[in-house]
């Protein structure tokens, strides 16, 4: 990661245009860059716990695979309401922070590359992030869709999709098995994951950060699967439900997974 003159990295590719100007101005890419800190990024499964939805279903996820790209860490973010939009988000849809979360900060750390994993695989290493010495108050990532080059077989169900989710929903004495292959727009960003990390003094040995999916939003007390009525969806009575594209249930879960409220970053 190259961050000239201690300036935060903007949208990918811009530095290829600015570098000649920076060079002419006598700006050094290495001598003036802030101290760098390495952090292991792992899957934190603690948020994927059994939940009770607004319709009274007790839901347990038995699979929760996802394909994401480039995790960014930010500083000097601002609290945003959901109606605020930046010029970038006129081009790429973004999920913004609700009050209490910071968004729109300067990107001063990142874990680059594509990552395909199951949010239930606690401790799985996603990679080593490089962060500048700073105080961090937010994180962002982008959705992508799974490809064979992500290390999966050509017949893997998640191929071409963003999420593969499966689970058990129980209401009274009725038990429903459900599944969904969910698509997000390539490059859709989720912005404003809460982070409270101070690296202003530089080196922090053995730093490990966990990326979470939160099935239950601790701020607003809603859940990832609110509004989904599995009994109604079980139209043939076999207690097996597949959430199909362009249905209300599919679109509810699609919107939920776009919302930063259901994600977090933990410090280990």
């Amino acid at each position: 990661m190259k961050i000239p003159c201690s300036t935060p990295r903007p949208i990918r590719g811009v530095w290829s245009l600015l570098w000649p100007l920076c060079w002419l101005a006598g700006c050094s890419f290495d001598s003036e860059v802030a101290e760098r800190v390495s952090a292991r990024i792992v899957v934190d499964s603690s948020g994927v716990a059994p939940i009770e939805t607004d319709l009274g279903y007790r839901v347990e996820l038995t699979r929760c695979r996802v394909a994401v790209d480039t995790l960014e860490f930010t500083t000097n973010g601002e609290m945003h309401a959901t109606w605020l939009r930046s010029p970038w988000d006129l081009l790429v849809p973004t999920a913004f922070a609700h009050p209490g979360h910071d968004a729109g900060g300067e990107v001063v750390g990142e874990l680059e590359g594509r990552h395909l994993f199951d949010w239930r695989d606690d401790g799985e290493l996603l990679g080593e992030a490089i962060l500048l010495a700073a105080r961090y108050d937010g994180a962002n990532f982008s959705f992508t869709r799974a490809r064979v080059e992500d290390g999966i077989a050509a017949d893997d169900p998640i191929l071409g999709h963003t999420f593969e989710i499966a689970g058990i929903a129980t209401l009274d004495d009725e038990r429903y098995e459900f599944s969904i292959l969910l698509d997000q727009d390539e490059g859709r960003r989720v912005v404003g994951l809460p982070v409270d990390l101070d690296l202003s003094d530089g080196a922090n040995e053995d730093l490990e950060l966990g990326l979470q999916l939160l099935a239950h939003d601790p701020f607003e007390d809603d859940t990832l699967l609110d509004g989904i009525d599995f009994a109604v969806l079980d139209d043939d009575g076999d207690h097996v439900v597949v959430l199909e594209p362009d249905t209300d249930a599919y679109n509810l879960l699609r919107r939920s997974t776009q919302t930063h409220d259901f994600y977090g970053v933990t410090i280990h």
Side-chain angles (χ1 to χ4, degrees), residues 52-268:
E52 183 173 327
T53 73
D54 61 336
L55 299 182
Y57 288 93
R58 185 182 187 278
V59 178
E60 181 176 355
L61 299 182
T62 58
R63 176 165 286 196
C64 191
R65 300 169 75 196
V66 68
V68 302
D69 196 356
T70 304
L71 177 63
E72 302 171 334
F73 297 91
T74 62
T75 188
N76 297 327
E78 298 177 355
M79 292 184 183
H80 285 269
T82 56
W83 52 268
L84 292 178
R85 292 291 183 270
S86 69
W88 167 252
D89 293 290
L90 297 176
L91 302 176
V92 179
T94 301
F96 273 88
H98 59 57
H101 289 205
D102 292 330
E106 301 167 343
V107 177
V108 287
E110 68 177 8
L111 171 64
E112 291 187 309
R114 300 170 54 86
H115 307 279
L116 175 61
F117 59 93
D118 192 321
W119 246 301
R120 298 168 60 254
D121 291 340
D122 191 62
E124 178 180 343
L125 178 65
L126 300 181
E128 296 277 343
I130 301 300
L131 303 94
L132 298 187
R135 180 169 184 85
Y136 290 83
D137 49 32
N140 318 316
F141 68 84
S142 298
F143 286 121
T144 185
R145 298 191 184 187
R147 306 172 186 169
V148 171
E149 51 264 40
D150 294 323
I152 59 176
D155 60 351
D156 193 305
I158 200 175
L159 185 66
H161 302 285
T162 305
F163 281 94
E164 181 194 8
I165 299 173
I168 305 296
T170 306
L171 181 64
D172 299 328
D173 295 327
E174 301 295 327
R175 182 176 182 271
Y176 303 90
E177 297 182 11
F178 70 90
S179 63
I180 183 172
L181 292 171
L182 184 66
D183 297 333
Q184 297 287 1
D185 295 334
E186 187 77 37
R188 174 179 281 274
R189 301 175 72 220
V190 180
V191 172
L193 281 64
V195 177
D196 185 10
L197 176 64
D198 191 353
L199 297 178
S200 301
D201 294 332
N204 188 324
E205 295 183 3
D206 301 322
L207 178 61
E208 184 174 275
L209 304 177
L211 183 60
Q212 288 183 307
L213 173 71
L214 303 172
H216 173 261
D217 173 13
F219 293 93
E220 298 184 359
D221 202 32
D222 50 359
T223 80
L224 196 66
L225 292 118
D226 277 0
I228 300 178
D229 195 332
F230 297 95
V232 171
L233 296 172
D234 182 30
D235 51 9
D236 59 5
D238 65 355
H239 288 67
V240 176
V241 173
V242 178
L243 280 67
E244 299 287 357
D246 299 321
T247 62
D248 289 344
Y250 180 99
N251 291 333
L252 277 172
L253 188 52
R254 188 172 188 266
R255 286 193 294 271
S256 294
T257 54
Q258 294 169 0
T259 306
H260 82 285
D261 302 19
F262 295 110
Y263 303 95
V265 175
T266 55
I267 303 169
H268 298 171

Side-chain angles (χ1 to χ4, degrees), residues 7-44:
T7 304
R9 183 178 182 220
I11 299 170
R12 192 178 307 275
V14 172
W15 283 121
S16 63
L17 302 176
L18 296 184
W19 185 89
L21 297 177
C22 189
W23 182 82
L24 289 173
C27 175
S28 169
F29 277 77
D30 294 316
S31 62
E32 297 181 31
V33 74
E35 182 178 351
R36 302 182 183 192
V37 178
S38 177
R40 287 166 44 90
I41 309 299
V42 300
V43 177
D44 184 334

